[in-house]
mmCIF file of all heavy atoms in Angstrom:
data_model
loop_
_atom_site.group_PDB
_atom_site.id
_atom_site.type_symbol
_atom_site.label_atom_id
_atom_site.label_comp_id
_atom_site.label_asym_id
_atom_site.label_seq_id
_atom_site.Cartn_x
_atom_site.Cartn_y
_atom_site.Cartn_z
ATOM 1 N N ALA D 636 3.790 3.126 -37.191
ATOM 2 C CA ALA D 636 3.147 2.055 -37.961
ATOM 3 C C ALA D 636 4.055 0.857 -38.155
ATOM 4 O O ALA D 636 3.587 -0.267 -38.363
ATOM 5 C CB ALA D 636 2.691 2.600 -39.318
ATOM 6 N N LYS D 637 5.364 1.077 -38.092
ATOM 7 C CA LYS D 637 6.327 -0.013 -38.248
ATOM 8 C C LYS D 637 6.717 -0.646 -36.912
ATOM 9 O O LYS D 637 7.569 -1.523 -36.868
ATOM 10 C CB LYS D 637 7.581 0.503 -38.959
ATOM 11 C CG LYS D 637 7.331 0.984 -40.386
ATOM 12 C CD LYS D 637 8.624 1.465 -41.024
ATOM 13 C CE LYS D 637 8.386 1.928 -42.456
ATOM 14 N NZ LYS D 637 9.647 2.412 -43.097
ATOM 15 N N GLY D 638 6.097 -0.182 -35.829
ATOM 16 C CA GLY D 638 6.412 -0.725 -34.523
ATOM 17 C C GLY D 638 7.659 -0.136 -33.904
ATOM 18 O O GLY D 638 8.156 -0.661 -32.900
ATOM 19 N N GLN D 639 8.160 0.957 -34.490
ATOM 20 C CA GLN D 639 9.370 1.590 -33.979
ATOM 21 C C GLN D 639 9.010 2.636 -32.922
ATOM 22 O O GLN D 639 7.968 3.272 -32.979
ATOM 23 C CB GLN D 639 10.141 2.255 -35.120
ATOM 24 C CG GLN D 639 10.560 1.302 -36.233
ATOM 25 C CD GLN D 639 11.493 0.224 -35.737
ATOM 26 O OE1 GLN D 639 12.508 0.504 -35.099
ATOM 27 N NE2 GLN D 639 11.152 -1.017 -36.034
ATOM 28 N N LEU D 640 9.915 2.837 -31.959
ATOM 29 C CA LEU D 640 9.696 3.798 -30.884
ATOM 30 C C LEU D 640 9.655 5.217 -31.452
ATOM 31 O O LEU D 640 10.620 5.687 -32.064
ATOM 32 C CB LEU D 640 10.805 3.680 -29.842
ATOM 33 C CG LEU D 640 10.689 4.585 -28.614
ATOM 34 C CD1 LEU D 640 9.454 4.220 -27.803
ATOM 35 C CD2 LEU D 640 11.951 4.472 -27.748
ATOM 36 N N ALA D 641 8.540 5.906 -31.250
ATOM 37 C CA ALA D 641 8.385 7.270 -31.756
ATOM 38 C C ALA D 641 8.394 8.301 -30.635
ATOM 39 O O ALA D 641 8.822 9.436 -30.832
ATOM 40 C CB ALA D 641 7.082 7.399 -32.549
ATOM 41 N N ASP D 642 7.924 7.918 -29.453
ATOM 42 C CA ASP D 642 7.859 8.850 -28.330
ATOM 43 C C ASP D 642 7.693 8.029 -27.051
ATOM 44 O O ASP D 642 7.443 6.810 -27.103
ATOM 45 C CB ASP D 642 6.681 9.818 -28.513
ATOM 46 C CG ASP D 642 6.757 11.040 -27.599
ATOM 47 O OD1 ASP D 642 7.786 11.194 -26.909
ATOM 48 O OD2 ASP D 642 5.794 11.821 -27.575
ATOM 49 N N VAL D 643 7.835 8.701 -25.913
ATOM 50 C CA VAL D 643 7.609 8.065 -24.618
ATOM 51 C C VAL D 643 6.755 9.001 -23.784
ATOM 52 O O VAL D 643 7.062 10.196 -23.656
ATOM 53 C CB VAL D 643 8.934 7.769 -23.883
ATOM 54 C CG1 VAL D 643 8.652 7.185 -22.503
ATOM 55 C CG2 VAL D 643 9.797 6.807 -24.697
ATOM 56 N N GLN D 644 5.671 8.479 -23.253
ATOM 57 C CA GLN D 644 4.797 9.242 -22.375
ATOM 58 C C GLN D 644 4.921 8.728 -20.950
ATOM 59 O O GLN D 644 5.463 7.641 -20.718
ATOM 60 C CB GLN D 644 3.347 9.128 -22.854
ATOM 61 C CG GLN D 644 3.110 9.668 -24.258
ATOM 62 C CD GLN D 644 1.697 9.428 -24.749
ATOM 63 O OE1 GLN D 644 0.948 8.621 -24.195
ATOM 64 N NE2 GLN D 644 1.320 10.129 -25.822
ATOM 65 N N VAL D 645 4.429 9.506 -20.003
ATOM 66 C CA VAL D 645 4.420 9.066 -18.606
ATOM 67 C C VAL D 645 2.987 9.044 -18.111
ATOM 68 O O VAL D 645 2.188 9.930 -18.438
ATOM 69 C CB VAL D 645 5.302 9.970 -17.712
ATOM 70 C CG1 VAL D 645 4.758 11.392 -17.655
ATOM 71 C CG2 VAL D 645 5.437 9.383 -16.308
ATOM 72 N N ARG D 646 2.638 7.993 -17.367
ATOM 73 C CA ARG D 646 1.314 7.895 -16.757
ATOM 74 C C ARG D 646 1.481 7.504 -15.295
ATOM 75 O O ARG D 646 2.488 6.920 -14.903
ATOM 76 C CB ARG D 646 0.450 6.863 -17.488
ATOM 77 C CG ARG D 646 0.052 7.359 -18.851
ATOM 78 C CD ARG D 646 -0.845 6.487 -19.667
ATOM 79 N NE ARG D 646 -1.335 5.252 -19.129
ATOM 80 C CZ ARG D 646 -1.771 4.235 -19.902
ATOM 81 N NH1 ARG D 646 -1.750 4.364 -21.224
ATOM 82 N NH2 ARG D 646 -2.227 3.140 -19.378
ATOM 83 N N HIS D 647 0.487 7.852 -14.505
ATOM 84 C CA HIS D 647 0.500 7.537 -13.074
ATOM 85 C C HIS D 647 -0.805 6.829 -12.727
ATOM 86 O O HIS D 647 -1.598 7.302 -11.918
ATOM 87 C CB HIS D 647 0.680 8.814 -12.248
ATOM 88 C CG HIS D 647 1.910 9.588 -12.595
ATOM 89 N ND1 HIS D 647 1.916 10.620 -13.496
ATOM 90 C CD2 HIS D 647 3.187 9.448 -12.181
ATOM 91 C CE1 HIS D 647 3.141 11.101 -13.610
ATOM 92 N NE2 HIS D 647 3.939 10.411 -12.822
ATOM 93 N N ASP D 648 -1.021 5.691 -13.365
ATOM 94 C CA ASP D 648 -2.319 5.019 -13.250
ATOM 95 C C ASP D 648 -2.184 3.523 -13.020
ATOM 96 O O ASP D 648 -3.169 2.806 -13.076
ATOM 97 C CB ASP D 648 -3.135 5.261 -14.518
ATOM 98 C CG ASP D 648 -2.446 4.736 -15.781
ATOM 99 O OD1 ASP D 648 -1.326 4.196 -15.677
ATOM 100 O OD2 ASP D 648 -3.023 4.880 -16.875
#
Side-chain angles (χ1 to χ4, degrees):
K637 296 181 179 180
Q639 301 298 308
L640 182 64
D642 195 6
V643 177
Q644 299 175 344
V645 64
R646 289 183 2 202
H647 303 94
D648 60 359

